[in-house]
Amino acid sequence: MTQIVEHENGNIIEWKWASDNELIPAPFFTSVYFIDGILIDAGAPGGVNDFREFIQLILKRENGTIKACVITHAHEDHCGGAWLLQEEFKIPILAHELAIEKLEKEYTYPQYRQITWGKMRLPVKNVEILPEILTSKSKKYTFELIPMPGHAPEQVALIEKKAQWVFVADAIQPKYKMLFGGNSDIQEDISMIYDSIERLYNYTANLNKLKIFMSRSGVQEGREFLKEKLDEIKALHLKVHQAWEKEAKHNINQEKILRKVLKNVFGKETMVEKLSNGDLSTMNLVKSLLKWELME
Ligand SMILES: [Zn+2]
């Protein structure tokens, strides 16, 4: 299913797509943003036919040109339609240099992700390295590209300072309850996520009307949201370490301690853990928090 949402008086168009697969209990969306000739991300492989229709619609409005598509990171739900943009519409694809090798290869992933995002991602040739600054088609907007590693090493965010917008894709999640890890090709790192959010928070210090555009989780208003996420992660970090210290006093079995820490801090493991064979789990978050040394 597709939804088109307009933001900021129609200056930003969000295209949201979720699979209609009946195995998915509730629609799980991915977002593409379009702003003055610039596309941010390219949807999921399973959504390419709907994405093509969206691009044709946009092109009609834009007199036939889209300047470029910025891929925020190389996960299949963000770059699945990049080959289509390139082959059918001749739109340049830009990404962080760490994403290029990944994008240029055909890419398959486990079944639970195929159900959500479609079977496999096709390769994209001649991906260009992102500039530090990208101006929009009519030069109305200037985007600064900043690295936000943690969710993915190649993750970037786009900041438009004058308009006070930041597009973070998956660099920030609405709530920290689980993390990719285990045997997955996606390895998230909570300390890097924290550092990236902190850098963004400091970088946007004088933007008091900041709007944060996320993928699938809508728009967050105000940079206080960034502070809330920092506080949330910091509190989890402390709790997990304290719980570990407490349990380690009367337990030597590491697995047992980890399970107790998870129970103390988060209550229980997420249902997604089994569906994803441990790729996405609360335990991954616990482990990443523990690996991150506690200062002070
Ligand atoms: Zn992602």
Coordinates of all heavy atoms in Angstrom, one line a residue, residues 73-78 151-152 155 170 173 180 186 216, ligand 1:
H73 N 21.3 5.2 3.3 CA 22.1 4.0 3.7 C 21.6 2.8 2.8 O 20.6 2.8 2.2 CB 22.0 3.7 5.2 CG 20.7 3.3 5.7 ND1 19.6 4.2 5.6 CD2 20.2 2.2 6.3 CE1 18.5 3.6 6.2 NE2 18.9 2.4 6.6
A74 N 22.5 1.8 2.8 CA 22.3 0.7 1.8 C 21.4 -0.4 2.2 O 21.5 -1.5 1.7 CB 23.6 0.2 1.3
H75 N 20.5 -0.2 3.2 CA 19.5 -1.2 3.5 C 18.4 -1.3 2.5 O 18.0 -0.3 1.9 CB 18.9 -1.0 4.9 CG 19.8 -1.1 6.0 ND1 19.6 -0.6 7.3 CD2 21.1 -1.7 6.0 CE1 20.7 -0.8 8.0 NE2 21.6 -1.5 7.3
E76 N 17.9 -2.5 2.2 CA 17.0 -2.8 1.1 C 15.7 -1.9 1.1 O 15.2 -1.6 0.0 CB 16.6 -4.2 1.0 CG 15.8 -4.8 2.1 CD 16.6 -5.3 3.3 OE1 17.8 -5.0 3.3 OE2 16.0 -5.9 4.2
D77 N 15.3 -1.5 2.3 CA 14.1 -0.7 2.3 C 14.3 0.8 2.0 O 13.4 1.6 2.0 CB 13.4 -0.8 3.7 CG 14.3 -0.6 4.9 OD1 15.5 -0.9 4.8 OD2 13.8 -0.2 5.9
H78 N 15.6 1.2 1.7 CA 15.9 2.5 1.4 C 16.5 2.7 0.0 O 16.6 3.8 -0.5 CB 16.9 3.1 2.5 CG 16.2 3.3 3.8 ND1 15.6 4.5 4.2 CD2 15.9 2.4 4.7 CE1 15.0 4.3 5.3 NE2 15.2 3.0 5.7
H151 N 23.4 2.9 13.0 CA 22.4 2.0 12.4 C 23.1 1.3 11.2 O 22.9 0.1 11.0 CB 21.2 2.8 12.0 CG 20.2 2.0 11.2 ND1 19.5 1.0 11.8 CD2 19.9 2.1 9.9 CE1 18.7 0.5 10.8 NE2 18.9 1.1 9.7
A152 N 23.8 2.0 10.5 CA 24.6 1.5 9.4 C 25.9 2.3 9.3 O 25.8 3.5 9.5 CB 23.9 1.5 8.1
Q155 N 25.5 5.4 7.0 CA 24.3 6.2 7.2 C 24.6 7.7 7.2 O 25.6 8.2 7.8 CB 23.7 5.9 8.5 CG 22.5 6.8 9.0 CD 21.2 6.2 8.5 OE1 20.9 5.1 8.6 NE2 20.4 7.1 7.9
D170 N 16.9 6.1 9.1 CA 16.8 5.2 10.3 C 17.9 5.5 11.3 O 18.1 4.7 12.3 CB 17.1 3.7 9.8 CG 16.0 3.2 8.9 OD1 14.9 3.8 8.9 OD2 16.2 2.2 8.3
Q173 N 15.7 6.1 16.0 CA 14.5 5.3 16.2 C 13.6 6.0 17.2 O 14.1 6.6 18.1 CB 14.8 3.9 16.6 CG 15.6 3.1 15.5 CD 14.8 2.9 14.2 OE1 13.6 2.7 14.2 NE2 15.5 3.0 13.1
F180 N 19.6 -4.5 15.7 CA 20.1 -5.5 14.8 C 21.5 -6.0 15.3 O 22.3 -5.2 15.8 CB 20.2 -5.0 13.4 CG 19.0 -5.2 12.6 CD1 18.1 -4.1 12.4 CD2 18.6 -6.4 12.0 CE1 16.9 -4.2 11.6 CE2 17.5 -6.5 11.2 CZ 16.6 -5.5 11.0
I186 N 23.3 -6.8 9.1 CA 23.1 -5.5 9.8 C 23.6 -5.6 11.2 O 23.1 -6.4 12.0 CB 21.7 -5.0 9.7 CG1 21.2 -5.0 8.3 CG2 21.5 -3.6 10.3 CD1 19.7 -4.6 8.1
R216 N 9.3 6.1 8.2 CA 8.1 5.4 8.7 C 7.6 6.0 10.0 O 6.4 5.8 10.3 CB 8.4 3.9 8.9 CG 8.6 3.3 10.3 CD 8.9 1.9 10.2 NE 10.2 1.5 10.5 CZ 11.1 1.2 9.5 NH1 10.7 1.0 8.3 NH2 12.3 0.9 9.8
Ligands
ZN1 ZN 18.0 0.8 7.8

